[in-house]
Amino acid sequence: MALYSPKTEKIPAPSEHSGVVVITIPSGRKYSIHSHLLAHHSEYFRQLLNGIFEGVIEHTLSSYSQATEEGIEAFMKWIYERSSTCQTDIKNEEYLWYDHHMDGELLSKSWLFSEYIGALGFREEIIQALDDGHPLDLDTIREVWSLIPSESLLLPIMFDRLCWLERNESLDDTRADLVDFPPDLALEVLECFPFDTEAEFNLQDYLED
């Protein structure tokens, strides 16, 4: 059976005849998702399933995946909202996949989860959510920075945002803000001082083609 390709295949609809993947996240909670939908939207699960979309497959995600209950539930909503049976009910791309109470930290962890499982579409929409009322503030960057893998595309976003937040601060104030940040990050930010006070930060610039 050919693998699904998000770029060429129509988004499949949920089916009672499809297999499911029972995913256990680090908290121990389990979630069941139709396997063919996972394969369509996630490179990680596409390789894991390797064209097998029948029966029940159990899979445990490591803590490295940053899979939180909020993040995987948002991912599941996002998947099923895009299934072909739901498309006619969605107008103007106003999706309800994420809980508006999710703060910048939870959305950032959801980004890391989407990056881990190779769900580009979900990652793009997290950027939209961060850009729509969930600002990346100093506290969020401080809490999330140590969780970000060195190869993550979230690193430059966080770094640029941090420099932008400090653009109008004095050197002493910037040093004070960076006290609780990792020393290597603080040093790298200070090396950029003075910042361009006219610089703009637009999360839309980080959307991938």
Side-chain angles (χ1 to χ4, degrees), residues 24 44 79 111-112 117 128 131 146 164 173 176 179 194-195 197:
T24 303
Y44 176 92
I79 281 180
W111 163 290
L112 294 175
I117 64 173
Q128 301 283 5
D131 200 32
S146 63
W164 183 83
D173 287 342
V179 166
F195 307 107
T197 58

Side-chain angles (χ1 to χ4, degrees), residues 92-163:
N92 301 319
E93 298 184 354
E94 295 179 355
Y95 302 121
L96 305 175
W97 62 268
Y98 72 93
D99 184 339
H100 288 267
H101 295 292
M102 290 177 73
D103 59 16
E105 181 179 348
L106 282 173
L107 284 168
S108 297
K109 289 180 178 179
S110 296
W111 163 290
L112 294 175
F113 169 60
S114 70
E115 199 167 46
Y116 181 86
I117 64 173
L120 175 60
F122 185 48
R123 192 161 72 241
E124 297 288 77
E125 293 226 6
I126 292 173
I127 286 184
Q128 301 283 5
L130 285 167
D131 200 32
D132 183 24
H134 294 88
L136 291 171
D137 56 20
L138 284 174
D139 288 339
T140 295
I141 298 173
R142 185 182 297 111
E143 290 297 321
V144 175
W145 185 268
S146 63
L147 303 176
I148 307 175
S150 59
E151 68 277 8
S152 173
L153 295 176
L154 188 57
L155 277 181
I157 294 178
M158 291 290 194
F159 181 82
D160 291 350
R161 176 69 176 182
L162 182 54
C163 291

Side-chain angles (χ1 to χ4, degrees), residues 173-186:
D173 287 342
T174 296
R175 283 173 172 162
D177 287 341
L178 296 174
V179 166
D180 295 327
F181 281 81
D184 55 340
L185 171 60

Side-chain angles (χ1 to χ4, degrees), residues 63 72 106:
S63 57
I72 196 166
L106 282 173

Side-chain angles (χ1 to χ4, degrees), residues 38 49 70 114 119 142 152 155 164 186 188 200-201:
L38 271 178
L49 293 166
E70 295 87 352
S114 70
R142 185 182 297 111
S152 173
L155 277 181
W164 183 83
E188 191 173 352
E200 296 182 356
F201 181 84

Side-chain angles (χ1 to χ4, degrees), residues 5 7 20 30 33 54 68 74 78 110 114 117 119 126 140 147 151 156 171 182 185 189 201:
S5 171
K7 296 183 180 299
V20 297
K30 296 178 181 290
I33 308 178
E54 298 178 354
T68 64
W78 180 81
S110 296
S114 70
I117 64 173
I126 292 173
T140 295
L147 303 176
E151 68 277 8
L171 181 58
L185 171 60
V189 171
F201 181 84

